[in-house]
Amino acid sequence: MILEMAGVTKSYSTPGGAEARVLRGIDLRIAAGESVAITGPSGCGKSTLLNIIGTLDSPSSGRVVLDGRETSMLAEPELSRVRSQVVGFVFQFHHLLPQCSILENALVPALVGPDPAAAETRARALLGRVGLADRLDHRPGQLSGGECQRAAVVRALVNRPKLLLADEPTGSLDREGAESLAALLLELNREEGTALVLVTHSPGLASRAARTLELRDGVFAK
Ligand code: ADP
Ligand code: MG
């Protein structure tokens, strides 16, 4: 299992003093290499869940075991080491650095890695794989939204994460761009053996994952 969550809850205190219970007891097991889509209405806690999986946020209670390590028991800097070794992130907006080339952007996570030369070889190969071979020296502003999102996918994969977390990665693209990005994520999931958790509003895109889960009222609908 790349991920095991048991009884995970997350609450926020609201300005009025009441507790907003966003996640109310999430149990989730994801096998190595698996693909899972998570759907649910806006505000239901999808990003909160993904951020807890990726150790960007911590649960209020419950257990999270990521690649064999109980992250709910870890603190920084150990946590950021696990995060950078195990997880890749893709968000709704690409967050590429505008002054850097596409190749430089793809290499950002590898700056802290052990082998910069190997990372560059991998980044070049992946950028070729996603159709950006002739865009390596371009800046993000010279690329389409879909191309930037593909570069962000390469950046997320450059350190060979075991788990790719994609939070509405097609949300800023038109229908055609969304279709092709989702297809790419699922192809890379199979080719690279990287487990994929894909948050999406689109039932059509979700149905392409091996498993679909619907988040409703803080738990997965049965
Ligand atoms: P989704 O990604 O499904 O749209 P989110 O996980 O972003 O939903 O948010 C779920 C709920 O938690 C929302 O009601 C949101 O307002 C609330 N929330 C998220 N982050 C915080 C925070 N840092 N402080 C307080 N409330 C938050
Ligand atoms: Mg969200």
Side-chain angles (χ1 to χ4, degrees):
M1 290 289 147
I2 184 64
L3 177 78
E4 299 184 64
M5 296 178 107
V8 167
T9 72
K10 182 71 178 182
S11 300
Y12 293 107
S13 46
T14 63
E19 286 246 300
R21 296 170 63 209
V22 178
L23 302 178
R24 298 168 176 246
I26 297 286
D27 300 320
L28 176 60
R29 291 160 61 85
I30 298 177
E34 200 182 356
S35 63
V36 179
I38 296 178
T39 64
S42 184
C44 75
K46 302 180 298 296
S47 295
T48 302
L49 175 61
L50 227 62
N51 290 341
I52 291 173
I53 294 173
T55 80
L56 294 175
D57 201 352
S58 54
S60 301
S61 66
R63 227 165 76 90
V64 181
V65 181
L66 181 64
D67 195 30
R69 277 159 289 196
E70 188 162 356
T71 54
S72 30
M73 304 292 285
L74 299 180
E76 301 290 349
E78 182 74 24
L79 210 48
S80 62
R81 189 156 54 239
V82 172
R83 185 185 310 131
S84 67
Q85 285 171 356
V86 180
V87 191
F89 294 93
V90 183
F91 300 99
Q92 179 174 356
F93 300 100
H94 56 73
H95 302 296
L96 298 174
L97 301 170
Q99 314 299 346
C100 294
S101 72
I102 292 304
L103 178 60
E104 288 165 343
N105 267 287
L107 284 169
V108 165
L111 291 173
V112 295
D115 191 343
E120 182 167 339
T121 303
R122 175 162 168 80
R124 287 178 181 276
L126 279 172
L127 286 165
R129 166 66 187 82
V130 305
L132 296 176
D134 56 357
R135 298 284 193 276
L136 302 188
D137 298 324
H138 287 56
R139 303 271 169 95
Q142 299 171 300
L143 269 59
S144 72
E147 288 172 327
C148 285
Q149 224 26 356
R150 281 186 268 150
V153 170
V154 171
R155 180 184 56 188
L157 291 174
V158 78
N159 279 348
R160 298 186 187 278
K162 293 182 183 176
L163 178 61
L164 182 62
L165 301 175
D167 192 355
E168 303 194 38
T170 66
S172 64
L173 304 178
D174 60 21
R175 210 184 126 242
E176 207 173 303
E179 290 269 327
S180 76
L181 190 83
L184 176 67
L185 287 170
L186 288 159
E187 283 164 22
L188 289 168
N189 158 249
R190 285 189 293 269
E191 290 170 19
E192 301 274 319
T194 307
L196 171 67
V197 179
L198 171 65
V199 168
T200 175
H201 276 304
S202 160
L205 299 185
S207 67
R208 299 204 201 161
R211 181 152 62 109
T212 302
L213 297 167
E214 188 190 344
L215 194 57
R216 208 192 289 158
D217 300 326
V219 293
F220 289 126
K222 288 276 183 306

